[in-house]
Amino acid sequence: GAGVSQSPSNKVTEKGKDVELRCDPISGHTALYWYRQRLGQGLEFLIYFQGNSAPDKSGLPSDRFSAERTGESVSTLTIQRTQQEDSAVYLCASSFQGLSGNTIYFGEGSWLTVV
Amino acid sequence: KNQVEQSPQSLIILEGKNCTLQCNYTVSPFSNLRWYKQDTGRGPVSLTIMTFSENTKSNGRYTATLDADTKQSSLHITASQLSDSASYICVVSEFLNTGTASKLTFGTGTRLQVTL
């Protein structure tokens, strides 16, 4: 596609439910990132996929959070047993090979509200 | 711990005026520094990328500078427009030994409002 695509764009869920967020990176981009941004705050790193390497999961805040990526394409971020503190926009980004100097393109985000 | 500090936190300027946003970082080893513009409710959009050897880079009315010795960067906006109202985020990449990976550290951004 022309850019990084995320779905759903908005999700309201009840506390305790599981949610799944999807990211379609730009075709050919091997590096994929997930970030969380709470209202009025900066971006918080969650997880980074680079090709077939083991993902960098160091930013996942708890074991309720997990992410998968199929090859060099779609990624899903799953939040189990959602809590109100999980309310945020979840941003996905991709870049070509993750090499220095390559532009990182962001999607428009998935806005999650836990009620 | 890698950190990126931005100042000011917020800024209000009149349309047509210039402004400069600051970014200080402690990321090491340094790979590159990026400035992003984030409109409210949208994903960040890249403005500039600078590597160690670059001191300045322009993108239209946006000019970024980098001093890798003092670990400081600035983003200068010339002749501001109402559409420049957004958050400006400084992002620094840490070079990892794998050679093809980089880890990003984000600043919390400067919120710019351009008014009439």
Side-chain angles (χ1 to χ4, degrees):
Chain A
V4 178
S5 178
Q6 292 188 245
S7 62
S9 55
N10 282 284
K11 175 75 175 178
V12 179
T13 189
E14 290 181 352
K15 179 181 173 181
K17 300 285 188 184
D18 297 350
V19 296
E20 193 171 274
L21 309 177
R22 176 189 169 106
C23 173
D24 277 280
I26 293 172
S27 179
H29 282 189
T30 60
L32 186 147
Y33 311 76
W34 282 100
Y35 291 89
R36 176 170 71 179
Q37 187 174 30
R38 293 195 168 105
L39 190 64
Q41 298 191 20
L43 275 73
E44 177 186 2
F45 169 73
L46 295 178
I47 188 168
Y48 165 57
F49 296 91
Q50 169 54 36
N52 295 319
S53 302
D56 177 356
K57 303 181 180 181
S58 61
L60 295 178
S62 75
D63 59 9
R64 296 188 295 106
F65 287 73
S66 62
E68 301 283 335
R69 187 179 186 193
T70 306
E72 295 181 354
S73 60
V74 172
S75 175
T76 55
L77 176 69
T78 301
I79 309 172
Q80 296 178 307
R81 306 180 303 281
T82 52
Q83 304 294 313
Q84 288 185 327
E85 70 219 34
D86 299 335
S87 296
V89 59
Y90 291 82
L91 287 160
C92 176
S94 73
S95 68
F96 179 65
Q97 295 187 342
L99 284 170
S100 302
N102 280 289
T103 299
I104 297 172
Y105 297 87
F106 282 82
E108 297 295 342
S110 290
W111 291 79
L112 175 66
T113 303
V114 182
V115 297
Chain B
K1 181 182 176 183
N2 290 335
Q3 288 188 311
V4 176
E5 305 273 351
Q6 290 189 245
S7 61
Q9 279 192 322
S10 61
L11 182 63
I12 301 174
I13 62 173
L14 293 175
E15 186 182 27
K17 297 295 186 183
N18 304 334
C19 68
T20 300
L21 314 180
Q22 300 291 343
C23 173
N24 297 338
Y25 62 92
T26 60
V27 175
S28 181
F30 174 82
S31 176
N32 59 70
L33 184 146
R34 309 161 193 256
W35 282 94
Y36 281 85
K37 177 186 179 187
Q38 186 176 24
D39 291 310
T40 301
R42 307 294 298 274
V45 173
S46 180
L47 296 176
T48 62
I49 303 172
M50 288 188 294
T51 58
F52 184 88
S53 60
E54 295 176 295
N55 298 121
T56 185
K57 183 165 280 189
S58 292
N59 177 0
R61 294 180 295 103
Y62 300 102
T63 299
T65 65
L66 173 65
D67 185 334
D69 291 331
T70 62
K71 298 186 177 181
Q72 297 180 325
S73 175
S74 65
L75 180 69
H76 186 74
I77 304 175
T78 304
S80 61
Q81 300 176 358
L82 295 177
S83 59
D84 293 332
S85 296
S87 288
Y88 291 84
I89 304 170
C90 177
V91 185
V92 182
S93 289
E94 173 189 356
F95 183 80
L96 301 179
N97 288 334
T98 58
T100 59
S102 64
K103 193 165 185 177
L104 307 179
T105 302
F106 284 75
T108 54
T110 291
R111 179 75 192 164
L112 174 66
Q113 184 176 349
V114 181
T115 64
L116 292 171

